[in-house]
Amino acid sequence: MRGESVLPLYSRQNGSRSKFWLNYRRLFNYYRSRSKMTRLLFWLMLLSSIYLVTQAKIDDVQIDEAVVESKIVQSSALIFEGPKNERQRAVVKAFQHAWSGYKLYAWGHDQLKPVSKSYSDWFDTGLTIVDSIDTAIIMGLEKEVAEGTEWIRDKLSFEHDRFVNLFEVTIRVLGGLLTSFHLTGDKMFAEKKRKDLGERLLPAFTHSKSKVPLSDVNLKRRTAKPPQWSSESSLSEITTLQLEFRDLSRITGNKTFERIAFEVSEHVHKLGCEDHNGLCGMYLDSGSGKFRPSTTITFGARADSYYEYLLKQWVQTGKKIYWLKEDYANAMKAMEEKLWRHSEPKSLWFVGELINGQTYSPKMDHLVCFLAGTLALGKINGFPDSHLDMAEKLAETCQNMYINPSGLGPEIAHFNMLPGSKDDLYVKPLDAHCLLRPEAIEAWFYLYRITGDKKYQEWGWSAFKAIEQHARIATGGYSSVNNVKRLPVTYRDLMESFYLAETLKYLYLLFEDDQKTLPFDQWVFNTEAHPLPIYDH
């Protein structure tokens, strides 16, 4: 130490805390041969320096919080004037009927069981409130918005010791909170996202052995695991997180969320799905990070929103990430070549499946109707006219699925492809239930806004009237039904949160006169119909 000044173990002027332990070792060697009094002074210096380190760390966090605060303040409330015509007013009344039934029999629980006047809990997050409050905001419902906001502020907690699905919580709960913040400017929603939820979801990524996140997360214990029956995660589950996690990063200034979720997209991109020219299998192993071989190729359950988020991520990031556009284009080309077929005798065009990646099946989930909206969105973002043509044909097929005794859409349809067939499609008994899903109405909304063809409004109005006639429960709420082909219908006794969050929201927007609310060049809707802002990067 001779010839060198004796520096404090740590000072803010002295630089990073990494220098602390270097100075400590040097000073320890210097003082250990000195007198007892000198050594005592050394230990006092050490303790005081540790205190300074701790305070510096606290100050660092406070500075970071200030940055986050400044970003959050920048969002301001949008103005929604409420319904402008009779059809919109009818949809608003339906939302209020659903909300009042939920409030009466299930308030604070996840979902209403309207027939038994009870409730169902899935995540213990007040799912219906968090998932649908942005619908109430868009409809201009001040009373319902105030009720939901108060519950989220005072009651919403993620301290429940249960495993929840990463995908569902992200698109419904995180998505709902994100949109509520953007639409109202209320920082409370941002605080719930950043402190209470975002970080609790990260173990799904950090506890995985690969870039494939685990499917289930315990929000209280901050642990994660695959489902009980497998080590696999589905394609849609792991690639339908990125819009939400990116937006979370953008409003909080914490890049971790965007980076860790986007690494999953990059991983799937690198895997390539070359066996089917960009169409990917349904399952990936979270241990190896690889696709399970010979799984079904589908645009339905377990795969659907992967393709949706390729396009929407590209749009969300200001069209700056070229490979997202390229992967989407390749997937649409492969879909047209391998899955796009028409029925007999009316030539209804549909998207089938490849069972085990090989055998064609003329089966289409109602979920696939989303693709008509996505193809239309692609058209206004530079994709060819043929995409809009496919969108219109697919939307018509989805409307034909509603032509049955109840006028409600079944979960799955099969199509006849042989010449001489009497009916173009048929619905098997186990596929005939209706959950009041939004995908067909979502498609008609996109297509009406883009083409101006009023037939899409008429299709939506017919579907809405069928819901009012067959799914409305007089004492409050709406119920899924068991079989769309049998009258009178019988009930499954559950009102899914997406009925309020998606189906009624898309109906309300479909019936808007001027189609100026939430324009497509400023907002991108997540797969749960929560609009998020488009960025320039």
Side-chain angles (χ1 to χ4, degrees):
M1 296 294 291
R2 190 172 287 113
E4 297 182 37
S5 60
V6 179
L7 299 175
L9 290 180
Y10 178 83
S11 70
R12 289 182 176 85
Q13 293 77 21
N14 192 30
S16 69
R17 288 186 295 274
S18 63
K19 294 181 180 179
F20 171 83
W21 296 111
L22 175 62
N23 287 334
Y24 164 73
R25 289 193 299 270
R26 293 165 64 192
L27 289 169
F28 178 77
N29 291 332
Y30 175 77
Y31 281 110
R32 66 180 178 180
S33 60
R34 299 300 188 262
S35 65
K36 289 183 178 179
M37 182 59 68
T38 304
R39 291 199 300 272
L40 178 61
L41 290 173
F42 166 75
W43 288 112
L44 289 173
M45 287 171 57
L46 174 62
L47 292 173
S48 65
S49 296
I50 290 173
Y51 174 77
L52 283 172
V53 172
T54 304
Q55 288 302 108
K57 185 175 182 180
I58 292 172
D59 290 346
D60 285 347
V61 172
Q62 290 172 343
I63 291 170
D64 187 57
E65 293 286 328
V67 172
V68 170
E69 182 77 6
S70 69
K71 290 181 179 292
I72 291 174
V73 168
Q74 292 173 8
S75 186
S76 57
L78 301 181
I79 297 174
F80 297 96
E81 298 178 352
K84 298 294 183 62
N85 57 56
E86 288 303 316
R87 289 184 175 182
Q88 279 195 315
R89 281 189 277 274
V91 176
V92 169
K93 288 181 180 178
F95 181 90
Q96 291 175 313
H97 183 74
W99 183 274
S100 64
Y102 169 77
K103 186 179 179 184
L104 186 60
Y105 302 116
W107 188 249
H109 296 279
D110 284 339
Q111 297 180 124
L112 169 67
K113 299 178 70 173
V115 178
S116 59
K117 301 177 184 178
S118 183
Y119 55 80
S120 170
D121 279 321
W122 190 15
F123 303 146
D124 290 322
T125 60
L127 183 60
T128 295
I129 300 172
V130 182
D131 201 9
S132 66
I133 187 173
D134 65 331
T135 303
I137 294 168
I138 292 167
M139 290 179 173
L141 295 174
E142 296 181 0
K143 174 177 174 289
E144 289 79 2
V145 171
E147 291 170 346
T149 300
E150 180 182 14
W151 188 89
I152 292 171
R153 183 185 63 240
D154 298 338
K155 301 293 185 180
L156 178 59
S157 170
F158 302 112
E159 285 290 316
H160 298 284
D161 191 5
R162 70 156 66 194
F163 280 90
V164 299
N165 182 265
L166 168 68
F167 161 73
E168 295 288 359
V169 168
T170 297
I171 66 169
R172 300 193 195 207
V173 182
L174 181 57
L177 291 170
L178 287 164
T179 294
S180 298
F181 165 68
H182 287 298
L183 299 185
T184 66
D186 189 336
K187 292 185 292 182
M188 179 275 294
F189 294 110
E191 291 296 308
K192 286 289 183 183
K193 295 188 297 290
R194 180 170 55 87
K195 289 184 175 180
D196 281 355
L197 183 55
E199 292 181 359
R200 295 173 187 261
L201 293 172
L202 291 179
F205 303 88
T206 59
H207 291 191
S208 176
K209 297 177 181 178
S210 71
K211 293 297 184 182
V212 175
L214 301 169
S215 65
D216 298 335
V217 187
N218 188 306
L219 298 177
K220 178 179 181 178
R221 297 179 181 270
R222 303 188 186 217
T223 58
K225 66 178 183 66
Q228 293 181 349
W229 58 87
S230 173
S231 63
E232 296 174 329
S233 297
S234 73
L235 176 66
S236 58
E237 284 180 328
I238 69 169
T239 57
T240 314
L241 314 166
Q242 289 71 24
L243 294 183
E244 298 82 1
F245 275 69
R246 178 174 292 110
D247 193 69
L248 182 56
S249 280
R250 301 299 174 93
I251 69 171
T252 63
N254 185 340
K255 297 179 180 180
T256 298
F257 302 110
E258 179 173 2
R259 175 188 57 78
I260 203 166
F262 192 55
E263 284 177 352
V264 181
S265 293
E266 291 176 318
H267 176 71
V268 175
H269 168 67
K270 291 174 183 177
L271 290 176
C273 304
E274 294 179 357
D275 289 348
H276 295 91
N277 302 332
L279 300 179
C280 298
M282 296 170 63
Y283 295 105
L284 296 93
D285 188 275
S286 59
S288 67
K290 297 180 180 180
F291 280 100
R292 186 210 294 178
S294 301
T295 58
T296 294
I297 302 297
T298 179
F299 275 73
R302 302 293 183 180
D304 49 357
S305 46
Y306 160 67
Y307 304 101
E308 177 187 0
Y309 271 38
L310 285 176
L311 176 67
K312 289 184 175 180
Q313 282 196 80
W314 179 63
V315 171
Q316 183 193 32
T317 54
K319 305 178 184 177
K320 297 296 195 298
I321 305 175
Y322 180 75
W323 67 258
L324 288 168
K325 177 185 178 182
E326 189 176 46
D327 283 4
Y328 174 76
N330 291 337
M332 294 306 102
K333 181 180 178 181
M335 177 274 293
E336 188 174 7
E337 293 173 351
K338 298 177 180 296
L339 305 179
W340 186 240
R341 301 287 187 271
H342 67 81
S343 67
E344 293 288 346
K346 293 194 301 182
S347 291
L348 298 178
W349 288 87
F350 64 95
V351 182
E353 300 179 344
L354 290 178
I355 307 301
N356 297 325
Q358 297 179 349
T359 305
Y360 188 82
S361 171
K363 163 187 173 289
M364 191 175 85
D365 296 355
H366 185 281
L367 289 168
V368 180
C369 293
F370 90 90
L371 184 58
T374 300
L375 285 164
L377 181 64
K379 169 60 178 68
I380 63 171
N381 282 284
F383 282 89
D385 291 344
S386 61
H387 283 213
L388 182 59
D389 180 63
M390 285 192 291
E392 293 182 302
K393 289 177 178 177
L394 181 58
E396 183 177 5
T397 299
C398 293
Q399 191 272 333
N400 272 262
M401 292 173 66
Y402 283 69
I403 300 175
N404 58 59
S406 70
L408 299 171
E411 186 73 356
I412 298 170
H414 288 76
F415 294 84
N416 291 310
M417 298 176 61
L418 296 176
S421 298
K422 179 181 178 182
D423 297 313
D424 286 80
L425 66 86
Y426 60 97
V427 177
K428 297 179 179 180
L430 292 178
D431 302 332
H433 54 285
C434 174
L435 305 183
L436 309 182
R437 286 195 183 277
E439 289 79 17
I441 295 164
E442 171 188 358
W444 303 334
F445 158 61
Y446 275 92
L447 282 161
Y448 176 66
R449 177 167 289 191
I450 290 167
T451 70
D453 191 332
K454 290 188 176 294
K455 72 182 180 184
Y456 299 114
Q457 287 187 320
E458 297 307 315
W459 292 351
W461 184 243
S462 294
F464 175 72
K465 289 192 297 183
I467 291 171
E468 286 293 296
Q469 181 177 356
H470 299 296
R472 188 179 190 271
I473 305 301
T475 52
Y478 293 77
S479 178
S480 305
V481 304
N482 286 312
N483 193 322
V484 301
K485 300 189 296 182
R486 294 179 182 175
L487 294 179
V489 299
T490 57
Y491 297 114
R492 297 169 69 92
D493 194 18
L494 187 65
M495 184 175 75
E496 300 275 359
S497 72
F498 58 66
Y499 173 65
L500 291 85
E502 299 187 75
T503 306
L504 291 177
K505 183 185 292 145
Y506 281 132
L507 281 165
Y508 181 82
L509 294 173
L510 170 63
F511 298 141
E512 185 179 36
D513 294 323
D514 58 18
Q515 289 295 309
K516 291 183 178 180
T517 299
L518 302 167
F520 290 155
D521 61 348
Q522 298 177 33
W523 299 87
V524 59
F525 287 75
N526 87 335
T527 200
E528 189 75 7
H530 297 305
L532 301 172
I534 292 172
Y535 296 93
D536 60 4
H537 63 290

